[in-house]
Amino acid sequence: MRRTSGIEDLLRLHAPQVLGALVRRYGHFDLAEDSVQEALLAAAQQWPESGLPDNPRGWLIKVASRRLTEALRSEEARRRREETVAALTPRDAFTAPAPGESRAPSDDDTLTLLFLCCHPALTPAAQIALTLRAVGGLTTAEIARAHLVPEATMAQRVSRAKQKIKGVAFRQPGPEDRDQRLAAVLQVLYLIFNEGYTATSGRDLHRADLAGEAIRLTRAVRRLLPRDGAVTGLLALMLLTDARSAARTGPHGELVPLDEQDRGLWDAKAITEGTALVEEALSEGPAGAYQLQAAIAALHDEAARAQDTDWPQILALYDLLVRRAPEPMAELGRAVAVAMVHGPEAGLAEVAELEDRLAGHHRLDAVRAHLLEKAGDAEGARAAYQLAAGRTLSVPESRYLQMRAARLLPPK
């Protein structure tokens, strides 16, 4: 049965708290996570018909606890496991708390789960899948659809990830590696958002469910770490970027570039919130990559018209960004800013410097094509657009690039 949006939001809110309660009480992260998923599914099937229980989180803890103890009983060494579970189980474990009461863990468990799901032993793909399932409350089928892979493939990926971190203590990392692990958490959330905002493959340019989930989880992290500049900057970046979503595609799903978008369709409320967060993030210490990218996004969003964009200020921010966090895609963005300030030839010179590090990437070819077109080299631009169109796996991007190439065909 399809979840209603209100129930879906409620389940995703409680999912990490319920999982935290079970892992703290019983251990067995892998079995506990499966049990929580079963409880979420049971709620999604029952609540639309029977109504919400007085204490939804208590209901979920009760059902998930029952599922977990059943799973533990079915394993080998049944008697020993049952004795262990009995010793660890509080007398009221299977009684839902009264309305308004809760034995669920503090919200810090959400951050602990994020650290666990982003464990360095896991690949980025596994970190993303496990985060969406354990912390986001998405089903394996939902995650598989979002990533355009068979459900069995995603189930195997999640299962392998859980086995890799089996036995890892359920606690936040110590001070010596907390910053590094938090950086991994933020990177995973950023990757989830980027895949939602601009899908790397498939027929849709934008996957609102993934982008929205990344924003929701980043808000949760910020509630736990409200004075962390990187967290605040990442949330600002997501909001300012996602604010343009409604204007990014035309009536037939075609891509609309930033300078041609109807800015009246942009989400003014998200821009206001994002801009305020940028100012806050920049006041919370040295600006890192997320804060600087958010500041660049704010300058784009604050321009009433494309020609009003403060490109010299954007270039100055890109100069800071590539010095503090040198990364090829940031340097490609800087090349565009250089072209807007100093002319397309200057931008093309910057693009040439990235040939080795971005060889074969369609975005390098697309930027080169755009700058060649601005420089008046129609033939070179058309070839570069065609090359980029052949290299992207995104259908909307490919169609847009082919259209740009077709516009440059010489008249017959």
Side-chain angles (χ1 to χ4, degrees), residues 261-320:
Q261 289 176 13
D262 178 358
R263 299 185 178 216
L265 297 176
W266 289 1
D267 186 338
K269 183 178 178 182
I271 292 171
T272 299
E273 182 185 1
T275 302
L277 287 172
V278 170
E279 295 174 359
E280 183 178 335
L282 292 175
S283 71
E284 290 172 342
Y290 297 126
Q291 295 97 311
L292 291 170
Q293 290 180 80
I296 291 169
L299 287 171
H300 281 296
D301 287 9
E302 288 171 345
R305 302 174 301 166
Q307 57 266 39
D308 297 331
T309 305
D310 189 347
W311 283 106
Q313 182 64 23
I314 288 176
L315 177 56
L317 288 169
Y318 267 120
D319 286 340
L320 278 175

Side-chain angles (χ1 to χ4, degrees), residues 24-40:
R24 283 192 182 281
R25 184 177 296 164
Y26 304 111
H28 302 285
F29 172 83
D30 52 339
L31 294 176
E33 200 279 326
D34 286 337
S35 300
V36 171
Q37 285 290 323
E38 291 183 27
L40 294 174

Side-chain angles (χ1 to χ4, degrees), residues 223-354:
R223 284 195 295 272
L224 305 173
L225 301 171
R227 302 191 65 81
D228 188 288
V231 176
T232 303
L234 179 57
L235 178 57
L237 175 59
M238 289 180 179
L239 291 172
L240 290 165
T241 304
D242 197 57
R244 310 177 202 133
S245 296
R248 292 181 68 228
T249 53
H252 304 294
E254 68 274 18
L255 186 150
V256 180
L258 180 62
D259 59 350
E260 297 178 16
Q261 289 176 13
D262 178 358
R263 299 185 178 216
L265 297 176
W266 289 1
D267 186 338
K269 183 178 178 182
I271 292 171
T272 299
E273 182 185 1
T275 302
L277 287 172
V278 170
E279 295 174 359
E280 183 178 335
L282 292 175
S283 71
E284 290 172 342
Y290 297 126
Q291 295 97 311
L292 291 170
Q293 290 180 80
I296 291 169
L299 287 171
H300 281 296
D301 287 9
E302 288 171 345
R305 302 174 301 166
Q307 57 266 39
D308 297 331
T309 305
D310 189 347
W311 283 106
Q313 182 64 23
I314 288 176
L315 177 56
L317 288 169
Y318 267 120
D319 286 340
L320 278 175
L321 178 60
V322 298
R323 282 202 300 269
R324 296 184 183 179
E327 191 272 327
M329 281 300 170
E331 294 181 44
L332 188 60
R334 180 182 176 277
V336 174
V338 167
M340 297 303 294
V341 175
H342 300 297
E345 290 82 4
L348 285 166
E350 298 290 333
V351 169
E353 295 292 325
L354 297 170

Side-chain angles (χ1 to χ4, degrees), residues 191-199 204-208 210-211 238 240-246 248 258 261:
L191 289 172
I192 293 172
F193 175 80
N194 282 339
E195 181 60 27
Y197 187 71
T198 302
D204 297 322
L205 180 70
H206 183 238
R207 296 178 193 162
L210 275 184
M238 289 180 179
L240 290 165
T241 304
D242 197 57
R244 310 177 202 133
S245 296
R248 292 181 68 228
L258 180 62
Q261 289 176 13

